[in-house]
Amino acid sequence: MNQYTAVFLDESREHLQAVNDHILKLEKEPHELALIEEIFRSAHTLKGMAATMEFADIASLTHQMENVLDSIRRGQLAVSTEIIDSLFLATEALEEMVEAIGAGQDGKKDVTALVGRLEQLEAGEDGPGASQSDGEQEQPALDELQTAMAAEAEKEGFFPYQITVTLSDDCVMKPVRAYMVSQAAGELGELIKTVPAAEELEAGTFDASFILFLLSQATVEEIHDAVSGVSEVMQVEVIPLKLTDKAANEENSQEETAATQVEEEAPAGQSATRKSKTIRVSLERIDDLMNLFEELVIDRSRLEELARLSGNNDLEETVEHVSRVSSEMQEIILQMRMMPVEQVFNRFPRMVRGLARELEKEIELDIAGAETEMDRTVIEEVGDPLVHLIRNSVDHGIEAPAERLQAGKPEKGKLSLRAYHSGNHVMIEIEDDGAGINRNKVESKAVENGLITTEQAQDLADEDVYKLLFSAGFSTADEVSDISGRGVGLDVVRNKIESLGGIISVASAPGKGSKFSIQLPLTLSILSALLVKVRDETYAVPLTSIVETILLEEASIMDVHGRKMMDYRDTVIPLVALREVFDVPGSSPEQKSQPVVVVQKGEKRTGLVVDSFIGQQEVVLKSLGSYLGDVFAISGATILGDGQVALIIDANALMN
Amino acid sequence: MEGISKYIVFQMNHQTYGADVRQILSIEKVQEITEVPRTAGFIKGVINLRGDTTPIIDLKERFRLGKLEQTEATRILIVHIADIRVGLMVDSATDVIDVDAELIEQAPEIIGGIRDTFIKGVAKQEDGLLILLNLEAVLDLNETNELRKFTKEQQTGGQDSGNDIGNR
């Protein structure tokens, strides 16, 4: 993929997300023309980029989207559910195409049906011949909305300018120059209008000159310099515009709209200035940096070991300093890999909307803490489980409107999605105010599936019954629905979360709703572990799963029905000898007391019998590679200071 | 020139084999291997290859040609195909040669005790036959060097059965 494609993909995704968000808002506030402007702008940028990159289908679809949006902002078309739906469909198609390009395909897609649908919509209230979108060319002035925008912006210190640009006669790339001029001007402020329309500028169907209307804080000279910096620009004329009284009067009627617009503009302006302090770095580079750093961490432990052995004070001090500095570096690099969960949450509003419509339910999705940051790898993996849980809540949790009314609840169901930091973890919660989990149903299903007996069921606390939901092959939906009953149950979700080192739990109150909570580690790649020796092999046990280490007297090992057990703080817990489970070659030393690592998962505890403890160390988690796939009770490997590979034990797997 | 490819020449049980040089990252001497419990017998474990863990296969055991005895000559060919990186342990690796595609013939069904699935072709050389291996098949855990026994699929079915190599 060349760098242009990469930039195209990045920006397209951003714009599509923006379109998405704004359409959602537009549905709630159909009269908010500022939103239309936003969508229009994104669609327009997309079209421009796609046309430059020669992705014709994206360009033609965005073009038709623009036409519809244009009709709306001219007041020729009112926002309707159908329009929203069609815009969503178009956005989805665009996303597909962009992703296809990302996957190395040509991004072609048959969009004629969608374009047709949009054309119909555009024509719908307008009748034929409505596409006179550039009819006002003879009068290069601002329309009401634009004037209102300008008037509001003026209060914020943004002044309207009319910039007339003439390109040199022999200019062979008029569209490109026009684009560059627009970009240059756009960097100084907000382009609110061009004459001829931007489409024509891009197509190059204009004479040598064109006019831009810009809202900017810059001075005439600054604008002049910026624009005439573009090659093949022959003449630039910048005139500050005076807003007419007429506009000022009309502005009153539009006060509200315009005010919100400026609110929208201001942050955009800020982020534009903030942008200068950040740079785009490809993920690949950050990953490379992380990989290099991981090697450094390995060498660091090697150095520490050598320095200790050498007994050279100066060396030890230096190494200690290196260690401190690299710890701080580690922190910074890990932060660089952090991304806001927004990346995942983004897709949910549209998904919930779609599901709700499909199921004829009314649902309000409330998202909080989207800015919470997590490691990129975790974010990439956590999306699917969340989709599953949300579908679950929408399908099984929230009731149909009629049912809700009967239960004395508001017709509209509420689904909350929350993320927040808690210590070294990130919590994600999905809460609905639906019917809650039906204990009896879960019970009978569990009995039916042979998970528990009827007697056991009676003794179980509610919480324990709910936990059964996460058992393999469990689904309480009476019918397999298209939404969540796809034959995979919550056990898949649980497995995924656990493979990320996380924990999932559920709480529920009948008639009030349920809440799924997911606890995830902040990062996956570097972890603190206890190194233990088993015969000739060294293993690493993540500290997060360790409760305690104990030297256990041989005599206090109990034999219960052939299983070795031990007494741990007044409860009897099973013992697992790693040398047996892993069939480690070699022989173990004879010793009076056995070193035991007590590990915990939820309420469950198990003692892992090892030969000796080596010590605690930061280790870098390396995958065993796709070739080996999932290996029982091993979550990965790490490289020790002496270059040896040590396997990292997945204590969870040893507890079953 | 098009028809000529470079092959790494290596030996197992005194037979000479070739592996396309474009699929080989490097050739390594044997270093300490960390065993990975509960994996197939021919998977000897993982090594630290310049900071990355790489699984090691005993190629003789993979083909059921016996077990490799480690000697000074033992080498590990680091194969890189698609996302997968694996080391293949062989008796020795001696040479890199040019093989003209026109001289490559189709392999008989079984040659040197190896099924044709694993073989890309056979090239006649002055000093005997060079068996060119199909490394994709070698890395494909669903391929075995005997008539495939179909084991019952797990009822869950959706799991990537290609990936779990006798882990249970």
Side-chain angles (χ1 to χ4, degrees):
Chain A
M1 192 186 302
N2 65 37
Q3 83 189 73
Y4 299 110
T5 317
V7 171
F8 168 75
L9 288 174
D10 273 357
E11 298 195 354
S12 305
R13 288 188 186 120
E14 273 170 29
H15 281 292
L16 283 173
Q17 189 53 52
V19 168
N20 218 342
D21 294 346
H22 288 118
I23 302 179
L24 276 169
K25 276 192 214 154
L26 183 68
E27 190 178 27
K28 290 196 185 110
E29 305 161 52
H31 301 296
E32 191 59 87
L33 285 178
L35 290 170
I36 295 279
E37 284 294 336
E38 290 288 343
I39 302 169
F40 187 88
R41 200 170 310 144
S42 294
H44 182 69
T45 315
L46 259 173
K47 187 180 85 174
M49 290 191 300
T52 321
M53 306 281 296
E54 296 182 342
F55 297 123
D57 290 333
I58 296 187
S60 71
L61 188 52
T62 39
H63 177 74
Q64 197 49 49
M65 273 174 90
E66 267 182 31
N67 286 351
V68 172
L69 291 164
D70 195 48
S71 300
I72 300 176
R73 70 175 177 184
R74 285 156 185 275
Q76 291 162 338
L77 206 57
V79 175
S80 66
T81 318
E82 214 201 324
I83 288 185
I84 300 268
D85 282 348
S86 307
L87 287 176
F88 269 133
L89 281 177
T91 315
E92 255 166 54
L94 288 172
E95 274 168 2
E96 267 172 44
M97 288 187 269
V98 169
E99 288 319 311
I101 293 164
Q105 294 156 19
D106 56 6
K108 282 197 177 16
K109 187 177 158 74
D110 186 7
V111 292
T112 37
L114 273 170
V115 170
R117 183 166 171 177
L118 289 170
E119 269 169 1
Q120 264 180 5
L121 283 175
E122 188 202 352
E125 301 197 11
D126 239 353
S131 48
Q132 29 79 285
S133 53
D134 311 306
E136 85 279 47
Q137 193 162 330
E138 63 282 356
Q139 206 194 5
L142 299 177
D143 66 22
E144 286 169 17
L145 173 68
Q146 289 155 346
T147 316
M149 273 172 76
E152 268 309 311
E154 202 159 14
K155 291 179 193 160
E156 306 286 329
F158 286 82
F159 295 100
Y161 294 97
Q162 179 176 340
I163 311 165
T164 312
V165 181
T166 313
L167 297 176
S168 60
D169 290 333
D170 53 356
C171 174
V172 283
M173 293 193 288
K174 283 197 289 185
V176 178
R177 297 304 166 207
Y179 179 74
M180 288 169 74
V181 168
S182 315
Q183 284 289 306
E187 273 167 26
L188 294 172
E190 183 77 49
L191 270 185
I192 51 176
K193 188 186 172 94
T194 63
V195 176
E199 293 92 307
E200 283 170 49
L201 284 185
E202 264 157 33
T205 55
F206 59 93
D207 295 334
S209 68
F210 56 95
I211 303 169
L212 306 174
F213 290 91
L214 177 75
L215 297 180
S216 172
Q217 286 176 312
T219 62
V220 172
E221 288 76 43
E222 281 167 346
I223 297 172
H224 191 277
D225 288 353
V227 173
S228 45
V230 177
S231 13
E232 295 186 294
V233 168
M234 205 168 64
Q235 197 191 350
V236 181
E237 192 187 358
V238 183
I239 313 164
L241 274 186
K242 289 263 169 358
L243 294 171
T244 59
D245 289 345
K246 175 176 164 261
N249 285 337
E250 272 175 7
E251 183 213 316
N252 287 336
S253 62
Q254 292 201 0
E255 189 89 34
E256 269 182 20
T257 342
T260 38
Q261 259 164 25
V262 170
E263 267 167 32
E264 302 254 341
E265 302 311 338
Q270 273 170 20
S271 69
T273 43
R274 232 183 281 135
K275 251 181 209 155
S276 61
K277 287 182 189 161
T278 61
I279 49 165
R280 254 178 224 270
V281 180
S282 76
L283 290 171
E284 217 168 291
R285 282 200 187 167
I286 296 189
D287 282 349
D288 284 350
L289 180 62
M290 187 69 187
N291 286 340
L292 288 174
F293 187 77
E294 285 171 356
E295 279 181 45
L296 197 64
V297 170
I298 292 163
D299 289 341
R300 178 177 76 191
S301 28
R302 175 81 179 133
L303 266 181
E304 281 167 353
E305 203 175 311
L306 288 173
R308 204 170 39 243
L309 291 175
S310 77
N312 180 331
N313 262 346
D314 286 349
L315 179 61
E316 274 186 79
E317 262 174 45
T318 315
V319 168
E320 197 179 305
H321 186 247
V322 169
S323 300
R324 258 205 316 274
V325 172
S326 64
S327 299
E328 279 171 38
M329 272 174 69
Q330 177 178 329
E331 193 97 326
I332 294 175
I333 296 175
L334 286 180
Q335 272 168 13
M336 279 166 64
R337 289 170 53 91
M338 297 289 210
M339 293 194 318
V341 275
E342 205 177 352
Q343 303 263 357
V344 190
F345 284 9
N346 270 340
R347 55 171 140 153
F348 295 140
R350 193 170 78 198
M351 188 183 99
V352 169
R353 177 186 179 276
L355 288 176
R357 279 178 61 99
E358 202 175 313
L359 292 165
E360 295 176 356
K361 290 180 180 179
E362 284 185 42
I363 295 169
E364 186 188 329
L365 177 66
D366 178 37
I367 293 183
E371 71 287 348
T372 313
E373 290 192 324
M374 282 167 81
D375 192 277
R376 194 167 67 78
T377 11
V378 185
I379 291 211
E380 277 167 8
E381 298 287 324
V382 86
D384 289 345
L386 285 180
V387 166
H388 200 98
L389 289 174
I390 290 178
R391 282 172 169 273
N392 213 47
S393 287
V394 173
D395 195 13
H396 306 319
I398 293 174
E399 317 90 322
E403 222 173 297
R404 291 182 62 89
L405 280 178
Q406 242 173 21
K409 292 197 251 188
E411 236 174 321
K412 205 171 206 171
K414 193 168 171 176
L415 186 62
S416 310
L417 186 58
R418 274 185 297 271
Y420 56 91
H421 282 286
S422 151
N424 234 348
H425 291 98
V426 173
M427 301 290 300
I428 299 179
E429 295 176 349
I430 297 149
E431 187 172 8
D432 65 62
D433 68 346
I437 300 170
N438 185 332
R439 184 196 154 117
N440 295 334
K441 222 164 161 182
V442 177
E443 247 180 48
S444 57
K445 192 86 180 189
V447 173
E448 196 181 301
N449 290 359
L451 292 170
I452 49 167
T453 63
T454 325
E455 296 78 53
Q456 279 174 323
Q458 280 160 2
D459 296 338
L460 284 177
D462 282 354
E463 294 241 322
D464 295 320
V465 175
Y466 300 153
K467 269 187 203 153
L468 292 169
L469 287 173
F470 297 111
S471 314
F474 200 99
S475 173
T476 52
D478 295 327
E479 285 168 40
V480 172
S481 77
D482 193 35
I483 310 298
S484 55
R486 287 166 196 271
V488 285
L490 288 172
D491 61 315
V492 178
V493 174
R494 191 202 61 197
N495 285 343
K496 186 85 216 177
I497 300 292
E498 280 177 2
S499 75
L500 293 171
I503 301 170
I504 183 167
S505 61
V506 59
S508 178
K512 296 226 173 69
S514 7
K515 177 164 98 179
F516 287 89
S517 309
I518 299 171
Q519 181 190 315
L520 289 165
L522 272 183
T523 177
L524 293 179
S525 51
I526 297 187
L527 49 101
S528 300
L530 175 71
L531 298 184
V532 297
K533 197 109 194 145
V534 181
R535 294 192 171 154
D536 292 338
E537 299 283 355
T538 305
Y539 293 97
V541 187
L543 280 194
T544 44
S545 51
I546 299 180
V547 193
E548 199 175 345
T549 53
I550 297 174
L551 282 176
L552 188 68
E553 297 293 322
E554 193 77 47
S556 41
I557 296 180
M558 297 178 277
D559 196 315
V560 182
H561 304 301
R563 284 197 74 177
K564 295 237 165 50
M565 308 286 265
M566 69 175 271
D567 186 41
Y568 177 74
R569 296 180 192 267
D570 299 330
T571 53
V572 175
I573 64 170
L575 283 174
V576 173
L578 288 186
R579 66 182 84 93
E580 287 161 24
V581 182
F582 291 158
D583 198 14
V584 185
S587 59
S588 298
E590 284 292 319
Q591 41 193 359
K592 277 201 304 279
S593 52
Q594 293 282 348
V596 171
V597 184
V598 180
V599 290
Q600 174 168 351
K601 172 200 178 188
E603 315 264 284
K604 256 187 187 167
R605 293 201 177 105
T606 299
L608 305 180
V609 184
V610 301
D611 287 351
S612 60
F613 304 130
I614 299 175
Q616 185 191 328
Q617 198 180 313
E618 298 268 286
V619 300
V620 177
L621 177 69
K622 302 252 178 199
S623 142
L624 284 176
S626 49
Y627 182 69
L628 290 182
D630 290 330
V631 177
F632 171 75
I634 301 294
S635 57
T638 187
I639 294 166
L640 302 175
D642 59 1
Q644 283 292 299
V645 178
L647 299 178
I648 299 173
I649 291 178
D650 173 13
N652 290 348
L654 289 172
M655 277 186 256
N656 300 320
Chain B
M1 273 311 280
E2 268 181 15
I4 293 182
S5 301
K6 285 198 183 305
Y7 282 84
I8 303 230
V9 177
F10 61 93
Q11 287 79 27
M12 287 190 296
N13 294 351
H14 307 293
Q15 167 63 50
T16 316
Y17 297 86
D20 192 330
V21 85
R22 285 167 298 186
Q23 295 180 324
I24 307 288
L25 273 186
S26 61
I27 299 172
E28 308 284 330
K29 289 195 174 181
V30 177
Q31 41 180 302
E32 194 146 346
I33 301 177
T34 301
E35 273 202 40
V36 181
R38 301 207 188 188
T39 46
F42 60 81
I43 295 175
K44 295 287 111 180
V46 289
I47 59 162
N48 165 14
L49 185 70
R50 289 177 284 279
D52 269 313
T53 54
T54 307
I56 300 301
I57 292 175
D58 178 338
L59 197 55
K60 275 197 201 170
E61 258 189 274
R62 175 79 177 97
F63 291 146
R64 298 168 195 262
L65 299 174
K67 213 167 183 164
L68 187 127
E69 298 282 332
Q70 282 190 32
T71 66
E72 264 300 298
T74 307
R75 290 291 178 274
I76 296 175
L77 310 183
I78 306 293
V79 179
H80 191 109
I81 297 175
D83 279 347
I84 296 176
R85 194 168 73 169
V86 168
L88 304 178
M89 255 208 297
V90 298
D91 285 343
S92 58
T94 44
D95 210 352
V96 178
I97 57 163
D98 291 330
V99 177
D100 192 331
E102 285 176 18
L103 298 180
I104 300 177
E105 290 166 25
Q106 214 188 339
E109 195 169 333
I110 283 185
I111 182 167
I114 299 178
R115 262 181 59 203
D116 57 352
T117 346
F118 294 115
I119 298 174
K120 214 153 47 174
V122 178
K124 271 210 187 85
Q125 301 288 301
E126 284 158 22
D127 50 354
L129 280 183
L130 181 67
I131 303 176
L132 306 177
L133 289 184
N134 171 2
L135 293 178
E136 280 94 348
V138 172
L139 297 199
D140 185 345
L141 292 162
N142 291 319
E143 296 288 355
T144 62
N145 201 24
E146 55 181 353
L147 285 178
R148 238 181 112 187
K149 290 183 210 122
F150 285 94
T151 43
K152 267 176 274 161
E153 285 285 325
Q154 294 261 313
Q155 61 268 52
T156 42
Q159 298 284 336
D160 232 352
S161 55
N163 269 344
D164 44 21
I165 332 121
N167 296 330
R168 36 191 87 127

